Amino acid sequence: MGRIVGAFAMSHQLGAPDGVEEPAERAFAGMREIGRRIRALAPSLIVVVTSDHLNNFSLGQPAPFAIGTADHFVPLGDMGLPRDPVPGGPDFAAGLIAYARAQGMAVAAADDIQPDHGVMIPLGIVDPRREIPAVPLYVNTVFYPEPGPIESRRLGEMLRAFIDSETPDDARVVLLGAGGLSHWVGMPQEGEINQPWDAAFLSDMLAGDVDALAARDNGEILAVAGNGGLEVNAWIVIASAMPGAKGECLFYEAIPQWATGMAGVELHVA
C-alpha cells in the first residue's frame, strides 16, 4: 500500500506587492517554504485539493467533487500564469473514482480541464519545473449544491483510506489543500478580512481538531468569512485525511489589497 508522506494547505492567491511589500514577501516566503518542504519529501504524486473559479465546470455539470483524470494538464493561464503542461496521475484518479463509487460517494471524472490559479499558484510554487505528477481534486464552492464541512470530512477520510489500501507500495503521496482563508469575491465586502475567524479556523486546523472543523457549516462560513471563505472546505479535506495530526503555521498575513486572509500550514505526518 502507498502512504501519505506530507500534508499541507495554503491560500491560492497572489497579488502585486506594491504598497504591501513586507506582508507580501512574508506570504511568498511561506509559500516557498512549503514548496521546499514538499520537494524534500520526494513525492511520487501531489493531490491538489482545491476549487475551480467558473472556468472548468458549469451549471450543467456542478459536480460536488471531481478529479482530473488526464495524463497531463495544460493550465488555463489566468492571472498571467505559465501554461507549461503538468504531468497527471490518471491511474490514481481512476482508482479513486472507482473506490469512491464503491463507498457510495460520487467523485466525478474531470476529463478535459485547464487548471486555473486555484491549482496553478500553489503547484507552480511547489513544483516550478513541472516534474512531479499531480492530480487536481476539486471541491465545488460556486454551484449549488456545494459540499459543506461534513461532506468534505467524508471525502478526506475516504481519500486516506484509498491511499492506504489501494495505491502501489511505492506511492509517496503529498496532499496539498488550496484556497481561503476569509475573503469576499465580487461582493460589497470585497477587501474585508475576518482575522478573528481566520485565527479560530487555523487554531482548530493546527490542533488536528477535525470535529471542530466539520462542525462548521457553509451558511456560517459564507456569512462571516465570505464566498471565498468556502474554499476552506479543501483544508477540511486535508485535515480529515490526517485525523489528529498537529500542525505548524508557516505564515498568516491579512492583506486587504489582495482581498484575502493569506495562510499556509503543514500537518505533521506521524
Side-chain angles (χ1 to χ4, degrees), residues 142-207:
V142 294
F143 294 116
Y144 179 83
E146 72 279 4
I150 292 174
E151 294 86 358
S152 297
R153 178 180 192 169
R154 186 180 175 208
L155 177 64
E157 292 169 345
M158 187 272 296
L159 177 62
R160 174 60 179 264
F162 169 72
I163 293 169
D164 283 350
S165 64
E166 302 294 327
T167 56
D169 290 345
D170 60 350
R172 296 175 54 83
V173 181
V174 163
L175 305 180
L176 176 60
L181 295 177
S182 63
H183 64 293
W184 284 259
V185 181
M187 301 182 73
Q189 304 98 314
E190 187 165 345
E192 295 182 12
I193 297 168
N194 189 337
Q195 294 187 56
W197 188 89
D198 287 350
F201 181 85
L202 286 170
S203 178
D204 290 339
M205 189 83 183
L206 300 179

Side-chain angles (χ1 to χ4, degrees), residues 6-153:
F8 302 81
M10 70 164 83
S11 301
H12 59 214
Q13 169 71 307
L14 280 176
D18 302 340
V20 289
E21 288 82 1
E22 291 185 6
E25 177 52 32
R26 288 192 296 266
F28 193 40
M31 290 176 159
R32 292 196 303 267
E33 175 62 13
I34 289 175
R36 187 195 67 76
R37 294 187 185 194
I38 289 177
R39 291 189 299 274
L41 293 168
S44 59
L45 181 76
I46 300 173
V47 179
V48 185
V49 185
T50 189
S51 57
D52 184 68
H53 301 82
L54 298 172
N55 290 308
N56 288 284
F57 300 92
S58 69
L59 285 171
Q61 296 177 309
F65 301 121
I67 189 167
T69 57
D71 61 7
H72 74 279
F73 304 97
V74 176
L76 182 67
D78 60 321
M79 297 179 66
L81 296 169
R83 301 197 69 212
D84 307 283
V86 177
D91 293 341
F92 181 96
L96 182 64
I97 291 168
Y99 185 84
R101 185 180 299 120
Q103 306 302 311
M105 189 173 189
V107 176
D111 298 316
D112 186 18
I113 59 170
Q114 294 181 311
D116 67 13
H117 70 274
V119 174
M120 295 314 304
I121 283 179
L123 194 59
I125 292 170
V126 167
D127 183 28
R129 299 178 66 177
R130 308 288 205 265
E131 295 177 334
I132 307 168
V135 293
L137 177 56
Y138 290 102
V139 179
N140 167 36
T141 63
V142 294
F143 294 116
Y144 179 83
E146 72 279 4
I150 292 174
E151 294 86 358
S152 297
R153 178 180 192 169

